[in-house]
Amino acid sequence: MAKTAVRVRHGLGRVGNKRTRTLPKMAAKMQMNRLARIEAVLQRAEEFGLRAEKDGRIAGRVSADLIKRAKARTGLTSDTELVEFALANVALEDNFAETFRKTRGTVDPTLKLGF
């Protein structure tokens, strides 16, 4: 599995005369969850053989702000990793929301669930 480059910023801010962390523990935990998701998506893509060969090339013009925000949200620093994650995410999408909507109301309301 390929290593994913990640950068997490820990800065200090000020509230009045008191110094505080600008990245609280909750935000750090959310970032770790994002990183786990990225690793899971890329691992799944590898299992499907979608990362075996690097013989394709993609180019396009997109907003620099879009790239900056996507990198900030994912923690990825490489354009290649960002594109690979985005494409793997689309290729492996499980359509959960669509399936969930389709099955709405199909469970018998008298079914005993044990709680």
Side-chain angles (χ1 to χ4, degrees), residues 37-53:
R37 180 172 177 264
I38 291 167
E39 285 295 326
V41 167
L42 294 176
Q43 177 63 37
R44 186 93 167 131
E46 196 166 308
E47 289 168 6
F48 276 90
L50 300 175
R51 298 181 73 196
E53 285 187 37

Side-chain angles (χ1 to χ4, degrees), residues 2-112:
K3 292 184 180 179
T4 304
V6 178
R7 179 182 53 188
V8 178
R9 291 187 205 148
H10 293 279
L12 293 175
R14 288 195 179 268
V15 175
N17 290 335
K18 190 176 179 182
R19 292 173 64 137
T20 61
R21 290 213 174 268
T22 57
L23 185 63
K25 288 181 182 179
M26 187 172 178
K29 186 175 181 178
M30 288 172 53
Q31 180 69 3
M32 293 305 292
N33 288 341
R34 285 186 192 125
L35 296 177
R37 180 172 177 264
I38 291 167
E39 285 295 326
V41 167
L42 294 176
Q43 177 63 37
R44 186 93 167 131
E46 196 166 308
E47 289 168 6
F48 276 90
L50 300 175
R51 298 181 73 196
E53 285 187 37
K54 303 256 181 167
D55 58 352
R57 183 163 169 82
I58 189 168
R61 298 193 59 76
V62 295
S63 164
D65 288 337
L66 177 62
I67 296 168
K68 184 178 176 181
R69 278 190 150 178
K71 283 182 176 181
R73 182 163 172 99
T74 61
L76 298 172
T77 57
S78 160
D79 289 350
T80 300
E81 287 176 334
L82 184 64
V83 170
E84 187 174 36
F85 168 67
L87 291 173
N89 211 17
V90 171
L92 299 171
E93 185 178 5
D94 65 359
N95 298 321
F96 174 78
E98 182 181 326
T99 304
F100 190 69
R101 269 193 298 279
K102 284 181 182 178
T103 59
R104 183 177 179 163
T106 60
V107 177
D108 183 0
T110 63
L111 180 68
K112 302 258 189 231

